[in-house]
Amino acid sequence: QRRRSRGRETGRLAQVLRVVDADDVLVGHSLDCDLRALNLAHHRCADTALLYGHPRGPGYKKALRTLAAEFLDREIQIGAHDSAEDARAALDLFELKVRFGPEFGARGAAAREEDCFAALARLGARVAVVARDEDVLRRRATGAASAVRAAEGADLGETILA
């Protein structure tokens, strides 16, 4: 069974590597856990667990659900785990950091505004928005981002890797 599990991991890694290249920016929360599970290193990560500091300082991380409630006024992770919901929250938190600057979320932070997708495109990153909702696609997919509509009921992760 261990050999079969390792084969699935290798297959999943191959799928990820077909979609993500070295210049892409990975956005998520506690990405170190995901990258470690894939046995993958990536040098361009926007990890909301690190971007939003903890009052106790480095070494501590605020939970994604705490950040979502505090900065997005959104309740997440109620009931069953929903990786798409987590991904949307992490992306929205990252967008706030890009739009309002690295000090956003800290006391006395000065505000500035820039679209996160435009900023990523300016840095040479490829950006794709995967969603089921047409309004989300219209709002998020600009000249700086491609839009991929996921079929109703489809797993968003499977849509990305397909």
Side-chain angles (χ1 to χ4, degrees), residues 131-134 149-156 159:
R132 290 183 194 94
D133 188 322
E134 288 291 331
R149 187 163 205 287
E152 197 62 43
D155 180 278
L156 291 181
T159 300

Side-chain angles (χ1 to χ4, degrees), residues 21-39:
D21 70 30
D23 293 326
D24 293 336
V25 177
L26 299 181
V27 177
H29 189 80
S30 291
L31 286 171
D32 57 316
C33 299
D34 298 319
L35 294 173
R36 194 175 317 115
L38 289 168
N39 197 24

Side-chain angles (χ1 to χ4, degrees), residues 115 117-119 121-122 125-129 137-147:
D115 177 69
F117 296 123
R122 182 172 39 79
R126 294 182 309 162
V127 180
V129 177
L137 290 174
R138 263 192 296 281
R139 191 174 74 244
R140 297 279 190 200
T142 63
S146 302

Side-chain angles (χ1 to χ4, degrees), residues 8-130:
R8 269 191 302 243
E9 291 170 10
T10 304
R12 182 65 71 188
L13 178 59
Q15 288 178 314
V16 170
L17 292 176
R18 278 197 300 270
V19 177
V20 178
D21 70 30
D23 293 326
D24 293 336
V25 177
L26 299 181
V27 177
H29 189 80
S30 291
L31 286 171
D32 57 316
C33 299
D34 298 319
L35 294 173
R36 194 175 317 115
L38 289 168
N39 197 24
L40 181 67
H42 192 73
H43 71 286
R44 299 185 81 179
C45 296
D47 191 332
T48 56
L50 302 175
L51 291 172
Y52 287 84
H54 192 281
R56 289 180 157 175
Y60 294 91
K61 298 177 183 179
K62 283 189 178 181
L64 181 59
R65 93 178 127 270
T66 303
L67 293 173
E70 186 174 345
F71 296 105
L72 302 173
D73 196 29
R74 184 185 311 165
E75 282 189 30
I76 64 168
Q77 299 176 344
I78 307 297
H81 178 254
D82 183 345
S83 58
E85 177 183 59
D86 290 355
R88 280 190 300 273
L91 186 59
D92 290 343
L93 288 163
F94 175 64
E95 182 178 18
L96 289 174
K97 278 289 187 178
V98 171
R99 179 173 290 162
F100 298 113
E103 295 301 315
F104 174 79
R107 284 193 197 121
R112 72 177 175 89
E113 188 166 336
E114 181 177 13
D115 177 69
C116 75
F117 296 123
L120 287 169
R122 182 172 39 79
L123 294 171
R126 294 182 309 162
V127 180
V129 177
V130 180

